[in-house]
Amino acid sequence: MNFRKVAVAKAERYYVEEKSDYNIDDMQYLFGRGTYTDDRFSGFEYQASVAAGYGRYLVRREGLNLQAFGGPGYRENSVIGGDSEGEAIFAIGESLAWQISPNAALTQSLNSDIGEELAVSRFELGLETNIIGDITTKIAFQARHTSEVPVGTKKTDTITSVSLVYAF
């Protein structure tokens, strides 16, 4: 008998997001945000977006921050083996950061880029706890939903992760 080990790739995603804020006062800000997703299993070669707009802290106190933002933007969708298509979007989102205790923090965010052709939404929930000294662990759940996808592709993709983090 001849046995061979076969590796099958089930996922490969690269995602970059940057959001910069310009504070108007303690509770309001203007933002600029850019995202780039390269996910070969989504049916898209890549998706990239930029947006700018207004944000506001709904709650801002020591240990607890809740903010919401929204503004117009543009997204480029490139289908694998197909055309690249751009569209105007409206980006909305919210994020929560809660320092539960000196050793535990909860983060949660929901962002949506809504266009005429499709909407892309990302949800993330994470719990980070200090183990000892500069070592923490993070348990996270992410879900990404695209309203319209190429044939044979799932609309929702999820990732669950457990990470060990060392702070320098």
Side-chain angles (χ1 to χ4, degrees), residues 43-59:
F44 294 96
E45 189 170 328
Y46 70 87
Q47 290 178 299
S49 69
V50 293
Y54 172 79
R56 180 169 181 79
Y57 283 91
L58 305 173
V59 176

Side-chain angles (χ1 to χ4, degrees), residues 52-125:
Y54 172 79
R56 180 169 181 79
Y57 283 91
L58 305 173
V59 176
R60 189 171 195 183
R61 61 179 193 240
E62 189 171 334
L64 181 63
N65 288 317
L66 174 62
Q67 60 181 298
F69 61 88
Y74 179 81
R75 179 180 52 231
E76 186 80 21
N77 303 302
S78 178
V79 178
I80 293 175
D83 293 333
S84 181
E85 188 176 286
E87 68 176 324
I89 59 169
F90 192 80
I92 59 172
E94 62 79 26
S95 68
L96 171 75
W98 179 24
Q99 188 69 43
I100 299 169
S101 73
N103 295 323
L106 178 76
T107 57
Q108 179 272 318
S109 66
L110 175 63
N111 299 311
S112 292
D113 294 341
I114 303 164
E116 192 173 307
E117 295 296 319
L118 60 98
V120 178
S121 299
R122 286 173 293 291
F123 172 79
E124 183 172 346
L125 180 64

Side-chain angles (χ1 to χ4, degrees), residues 13 17 66 94-98 100 105-111 121-129 137-144 157-163:
R13 179 191 314 166
E17 177 180 359
L66 174 62
E94 62 79 26
S95 68
L96 171 75
W98 179 24
I100 299 169
L106 178 76
T107 57
Q108 179 272 318
S109 66
L110 175 63
N111 299 311
S121 299
R122 286 173 293 291
F123 172 79
E124 183 172 346
L125 180 64
L127 178 64
E128 192 168 324
T129 57
T137 186
K138 183 175 182 179
I139 301 168
F141 172 78
Q142 298 174 353
R144 182 174 189 269
D157 187 22
T158 61
I159 298 174
T160 304
S161 61
V162 177
S163 306

